[in-house]
mmCIF file with all atom_site columns, all heavy atoms in Angstrom:
data_model
loop_
_atom_site.group_PDB
_atom_site.id
_atom_site.type_symbol
_atom_site.label_atom_id
_atom_site.label_alt_id
_atom_site.label_comp_id
_atom_site.label_asym_id
_atom_site.label_entity_id
_atom_site.label_seq_id
_atom_site.pdbx_PDB_ins_code
_atom_site.Cartn_x
_atom_site.Cartn_y
_atom_site.Cartn_z
_atom_site.occupancy
_atom_site.B_iso_or_equiv
_atom_site.pdbx_formal_charge
_atom_site.auth_seq_id
_atom_site.auth_comp_id
_atom_site.auth_asym_id
_atom_site.auth_atom_id
_atom_site.pdbx_PDB_model_num
ATOM 1   N N   . ILE B 1 196 ? 124.221 137.617 86.962 1.00 95.00 ? 225 ILE B N   1
ATOM 2   C CA  . ILE B 1 196 ? 122.939 136.888 86.841 1.00 95.00 ? 225 ILE B CA  1
ATOM 3   C C   . ILE B 1 196 ? 121.934 137.727 86.010 1.00 95.00 ? 225 ILE B C   1
ATOM 4   O O   . ILE B 1 196 ? 121.246 137.184 85.202 1.00 95.00 ? 225 ILE B O   1
ATOM 5   C CB  . ILE B 1 196 ? 122.451 136.535 88.259 1.00 95.00 ? 225 ILE B CB  1
ATOM 6   C CG1 . ILE B 1 196 ? 123.299 135.490 88.799 1.00 95.00 ? 225 ILE B CG1 1
ATOM 7   C CG2 . ILE B 1 196 ? 120.962 136.081 88.217 1.00 95.00 ? 225 ILE B CG2 1
ATOM 8   C CD1 . ILE B 1 196 ? 123.024 135.204 90.290 1.00 95.00 ? 225 ILE B CD1 1
ATOM 9   N N   . MET B 1 197 ? 121.914 138.985 86.191 1.00 93.00 ? 226 MET B N   1
ATOM 10  C CA  . MET B 1 197 ? 121.082 139.821 85.363 1.00 93.00 ? 226 MET B CA  1
ATOM 11  C C   . MET B 1 197 ? 121.288 139.624 83.847 1.00 93.00 ? 226 MET B C   1
ATOM 12  O O   . MET B 1 197 ? 120.421 139.538 83.166 1.00 93.00 ? 226 MET B O   1
ATOM 13  C CB  . MET B 1 197 ? 121.534 141.238 85.819 1.00 93.00 ? 226 MET B CB  1
ATOM 14  C CG  . MET B 1 197 ? 120.752 142.268 84.873 1.00 93.00 ? 226 MET B CG  1
ATOM 15  S SD  . MET B 1 197 ? 119.552 143.005 85.986 1.00 93.00 ? 226 MET B SD  1
ATOM 16  C CE  . MET B 1 197 ? 119.078 144.447 85.106 1.00 93.00 ? 226 MET B CE  1
ATOM 17  N N   . TRP B 1 205 ? 120.046 127.392 82.725 1.00 97.00 ? 234 TRP B N   1
ATOM 18  C CA  . TRP B 1 205 ? 118.598 127.378 83.129 1.00 97.00 ? 234 TRP B CA  1
ATOM 19  C C   . TRP B 1 205 ? 117.975 126.256 82.463 1.00 97.00 ? 234 TRP B C   1
ATOM 20  O O   . TRP B 1 205 ? 117.107 125.561 83.122 1.00 97.00 ? 234 TRP B O   1
ATOM 21  C CB  . TRP B 1 205 ? 117.972 128.696 82.925 1.00 97.00 ? 234 TRP B CB  1
ATOM 22  C CG  . TRP B 1 205 ? 118.784 129.902 83.303 1.00 97.00 ? 234 TRP B CG  1
ATOM 23  C CD1 . TRP B 1 205 ? 119.219 130.803 82.580 1.00 97.00 ? 234 TRP B CD1 1
ATOM 24  C CD2 . TRP B 1 205 ? 119.124 130.130 84.650 1.00 97.00 ? 234 TRP B CD2 1
ATOM 25  N NE1 . TRP B 1 205 ? 119.963 131.792 83.384 1.00 97.00 ? 234 TRP B NE1 1
ATOM 26  C CE2 . TRP B 1 205 ? 119.965 131.272 84.527 1.00 97.00 ? 234 TRP B CE2 1
ATOM 27  C CE3 . TRP B 1 205 ? 119.034 129.447 85.857 1.00 97.00 ? 234 TRP B CE3 1
ATOM 28  C CZ2 . TRP B 1 205 ? 120.519 131.847 85.813 1.00 97.00 ? 234 TRP B CZ2 1
ATOM 29  C CZ3 . TRP B 1 205 ? 119.605 129.944 87.020 1.00 97.00 ? 234 TRP B CZ3 1
ATOM 30  C CH2 . TRP B 1 205 ? 120.373 131.233 86.986 1.00 97.00 ? 234 TRP B CH2 1
ATOM 31  N N   . SER B 1 270 ? 112.301 126.669 83.141 1.00 96.00 ? 299 SER B N   1
ATOM 32  C CA  . SER B 1 270 ? 113.599 127.432 83.051 1.00 96.00 ? 299 SER B CA  1
ATOM 33  C C   . SER B 1 270 ? 113.441 128.941 83.536 1.00 96.00 ? 299 SER B C   1
ATOM 34  O O   . SER B 1 270 ? 114.255 129.457 84.206 1.00 96.00 ? 299 SER B O   1
ATOM 35  C CB  . SER B 1 270 ? 114.225 127.366 81.756 1.00 96.00 ? 299 SER B CB  1
ATOM 36  O OG  . SER B 1 270 ? 113.336 127.777 80.756 1.00 96.00 ? 299 SER B OG  1
ATOM 37  N N   . ARG B 1 272 ? 111.136 130.019 85.502 1.00 96.00 ? 301 ARG B N   1
ATOM 38  C CA  . ARG B 1 272 ? 110.883 130.134 86.975 1.00 96.00 ? 301 ARG B CA  1
ATOM 39  C C   . ARG B 1 272 ? 112.131 129.935 87.757 1.00 96.00 ? 301 ARG B C   1
ATOM 40  O O   . ARG B 1 272 ? 112.376 130.572 88.717 1.00 96.00 ? 301 ARG B O   1
ATOM 41  C CB  . ARG B 1 272 ? 109.780 129.138 87.399 1.00 96.00 ? 301 ARG B CB  1
ATOM 42  C CG  . ARG B 1 272 ? 108.443 129.264 86.672 1.00 96.00 ? 301 ARG B CG  1
ATOM 43  C CD  . ARG B 1 272 ? 107.334 128.525 87.277 1.00 96.00 ? 301 ARG B CD  1
ATOM 44  N NE  . ARG B 1 272 ? 107.363 127.041 87.067 1.00 96.00 ? 301 ARG B NE  1
ATOM 45  C CZ  . ARG B 1 272 ? 106.883 126.493 85.930 1.00 96.00 ? 301 ARG B CZ  1
ATOM 46  N NH1 . ARG B 1 272 ? 106.419 127.304 84.941 1.00 96.00 ? 301 ARG B NH1 1
ATOM 47  N NH2 . ARG B 1 272 ? 106.915 125.168 85.795 1.00 96.00 ? 301 ARG B NH2 1
ATOM 48  N N   . ILE B 1 273 ? 112.950 128.964 87.298 1.00 97.00 ? 302 ILE B N   1
ATOM 49  C CA  . ILE B 1 273 ? 114.195 128.773 87.962 1.00 97.00 ? 302 ILE B CA  1
ATOM 50  C C   . ILE B 1 273 ? 115.145 130.051 87.952 1.00 97.00 ? 302 ILE B C   1
ATOM 51  O O   . ILE B 1 273 ? 115.567 130.548 88.878 1.00 97.00 ? 302 ILE B O   1
ATOM 52  C CB  . ILE B 1 273 ? 115.035 127.604 87.335 1.00 97.00 ? 302 ILE B CB  1
ATOM 53  C CG1 . ILE B 1 273 ? 114.203 126.307 87.537 1.00 97.00 ? 302 ILE B CG1 1
ATOM 54  C CG2 . ILE B 1 273 ? 116.342 127.464 88.042 1.00 97.00 ? 302 ILE B CG2 1
ATOM 55  C CD1 . ILE B 1 273 ? 114.790 125.215 86.787 1.00 97.00 ? 302 ILE B CD1 1
ATOM 56  N N   . TYR B 1 274 ? 115.141 130.621 86.715 1.00 96.00 ? 303 TYR B N   1
ATOM 57  C CA  . TYR B 1 274 ? 115.937 131.917 86.604 1.00 96.00 ? 303 TYR B CA  1
ATOM 58  C C   . TYR B 1 274 ? 115.407 132.917 87.539 1.00 96.00 ? 303 TYR B C   1
ATOM 59  O O   . TYR B 1 274 ? 116.112 133.636 88.217 1.00 96.00 ? 303 TYR B O   1
ATOM 60  C CB  . TYR B 1 274 ? 115.833 132.427 85.207 1.00 96.00 ? 303 TYR B CB  1
ATOM 61  C CG  . TYR B 1 274 ? 116.478 133.685 84.893 1.00 96.00 ? 303 TYR B CG  1
ATOM 62  C CD1 . TYR B 1 274 ? 117.888 133.825 85.124 1.00 96.00 ? 303 TYR B CD1 1
ATOM 63  C CD2 . TYR B 1 274 ? 115.807 134.825 84.497 1.00 96.00 ? 303 TYR B CD2 1
ATOM 64  C CE1 . TYR B 1 274 ? 118.560 135.048 84.918 1.00 96.00 ? 303 TYR B CE1 1
ATOM 65  C CE2 . TYR B 1 274 ? 116.465 135.988 84.327 1.00 96.00 ? 303 TYR B CE2 1
ATOM 66  C CZ  . TYR B 1 274 ? 117.829 136.108 84.534 1.00 96.00 ? 303 TYR B CZ  1
ATOM 67  O OH  . TYR B 1 274 ? 118.508 137.347 84.347 1.00 96.00 ? 303 TYR B OH  1
ATOM 68  N N   . ASN B 1 275 ? 114.018 133.093 87.695 1.00 96.00 ? 304 ASN B N   1
ATOM 69  C CA  . ASN B 1 275 ? 113.549 134.057 88.549 1.00 96.00 ? 304 ASN B CA  1
ATOM 70  C C   . ASN B 1 275 ? 113.880 133.839 89.977 1.00 96.00 ? 304 ASN B C   1
ATOM 71  O O   . ASN B 1 275 ? 114.140 134.705 90.792 1.00 96.00 ? 304 ASN B O   1
ATOM 72  C CB  . ASN B 1 275 ? 111.939 134.105 88.464 1.00 96.00 ? 304 ASN B CB  1
ATOM 73  C CG  . ASN B 1 275 ? 111.303 134.963 89.426 1.00 96.00 ? 304 ASN B CG  1
ATOM 74  O OD1 . ASN B 1 275 ? 111.498 136.220 89.409 1.00 96.00 ? 304 ASN B OD1 1
ATOM 75  N ND2 . ASN B 1 275 ? 110.597 134.417 90.354 1.00 96.00 ? 304 ASN B ND2 1
ATOM 76  N N   . TRP B 1 276 ? 113.961 132.468 90.361 1.00 97.00 ? 305 TRP B N   1
ATOM 77  C CA  . TRP B 1 276 ? 114.325 132.159 91.758 1.00 97.00 ? 305 TRP B CA  1
ATOM 78  C C   . TRP B 1 276 ? 115.701 132.737 92.104 1.00 97.00 ? 305 TRP B C   1
ATOM 79  O O   . TRP B 1 276 ? 115.889 133.410 93.054 1.00 97.00 ? 305 TRP B O   1
ATOM 80  C CB  . TRP B 1 276 ? 114.356 130.590 91.925 1.00 97.00 ? 305 TRP B CB  1
ATOM 81  C CG  . TRP B 1 276 ? 114.429 130.146 93.313 1.00 97.00 ? 305 TRP B CG  1
ATOM 82  C CD1 . TRP B 1 276 ? 113.425 129.857 94.126 1.00 97.00 ? 305 TRP B CD1 1
ATOM 83  C CD2 . TRP B 1 276 ? 115.678 129.727 93.986 1.00 97.00 ? 305 TRP B CD2 1
ATOM 84  N NE1 . TRP B 1 276 ? 113.912 129.326 95.314 1.00 97.00 ? 305 TRP B NE1 1
ATOM 85  C CE2 . TRP B 1 276 ? 115.293 129.268 95.337 1.00 97.00 ? 305 TRP B CE2 1
ATOM 86  C CE3 . TRP B 1 276 ? 116.970 129.744 93.659 1.00 97.00 ? 305 TRP B CE3 1
ATOM 87  C CZ2 . TRP B 1 276 ? 116.201 128.730 96.288 1.00 97.00 ? 305 TRP B CZ2 1
ATOM 88  C CZ3 . TRP B 1 276 ? 117.893 129.268 94.686 1.00 97.00 ? 305 TRP B CZ3 1
ATOM 89  C CH2 . TRP B 1 276 ? 117.476 128.826 95.901 1.00 97.00 ? 305 TRP B CH2 1
ATOM 90  N N   . TYR B 1 277 ? 116.661 132.548 91.178 1.00 97.00 ? 306 TYR B N   1
ATOM 91  C CA  . TYR B 1 277 ? 118.037 133.107 91.301 1.00 97.00 ? 306 TYR B CA  1
ATOM 92  C C   . TYR B 1 277 ? 118.006 134.644 91.266 1.00 97.00 ? 306 TYR B C   1
ATOM 93  O O   . TYR B 1 277 ? 118.563 135.374 91.935 1.00 97.00 ? 306 TYR B O   1
ATOM 94  C CB  . TYR B 1 277 ? 118.954 132.506 90.348 1.00 97.00 ? 306 TYR B CB  1
ATOM 95  C CG  . TYR B 1 277 ? 119.330 131.082 90.651 1.00 97.00 ? 306 TYR B CG  1
ATOM 96  C CD1 . TYR B 1 277 ? 118.563 130.013 90.278 1.00 97.00 ? 306 TYR B CD1 1
ATOM 97  C CD2 . TYR B 1 277 ? 120.519 130.762 91.236 1.00 97.00 ? 306 TYR B CD2 1
ATOM 98  C CE1 . TYR B 1 277 ? 118.832 128.745 90.471 1.00 97.00 ? 306 TYR B CE1 1
ATOM 99  C CE2 . TYR B 1 277 ? 120.853 129.353 91.521 1.00 97.00 ? 306 TYR B CE2 1
ATOM 100 C CZ  . TYR B 1 277 ? 120.086 128.406 91.169 1.00 97.00 ? 306 TYR B CZ  1
ATOM 101 O OH  . TYR B 1 277 ? 120.404 127.156 91.500 1.00 97.00 ? 306 TYR B OH  1
ATOM 102 N N   . PHE B 1 278 ? 117.194 135.143 90.316 1.00 96.00 ? 307 PHE B N   1
ATOM 103 C CA  . PHE B 1 278 ? 117.048 136.527 90.016 1.00 96.00 ? 307 PHE B CA  1
ATOM 104 C C   . PHE B 1 278 ? 116.662 137.241 91.236 1.00 96.00 ? 307 PHE B C   1
ATOM 105 O O   . PHE B 1 278 ? 117.263 138.249 91.632 1.00 96.00 ? 307 PHE B O   1
ATOM 106 C CB  . PHE B 1 278 ? 116.157 136.810 88.852 1.00 96.00 ? 307 PHE B CB  1
ATOM 107 C CG  . PHE B 1 278 ? 116.183 138.259 88.325 1.00 96.00 ? 307 PHE B CG  1
ATOM 108 C CD1 . PHE B 1 278 ? 116.988 138.594 87.263 1.00 96.00 ? 307 PHE B CD1 1
ATOM 109 C CD2 . PHE B 1 278 ? 115.481 139.205 88.949 1.00 96.00 ? 307 PHE B CD2 1
ATOM 110 C CE1 . PHE B 1 278 ? 117.070 139.847 86.756 1.00 96.00 ? 307 PHE B CE1 1
ATOM 111 C CE2 . PHE B 1 278 ? 115.489 140.467 88.542 1.00 96.00 ? 307 PHE B CE2 1
ATOM 112 C CZ  . PHE B 1 278 ? 116.299 140.822 87.433 1.00 96.00 ? 307 PHE B CZ  1
#
Side-chain angles (χ1 to χ4, degrees):
Chain B
I225 289 173
M226 175 102 166
W234 312 119
S299 55
R301 298 196 285 279
I302 298 173
Y303 177 61
N304 173 67
W305 192 89
Y306 286 82
F307 191 97

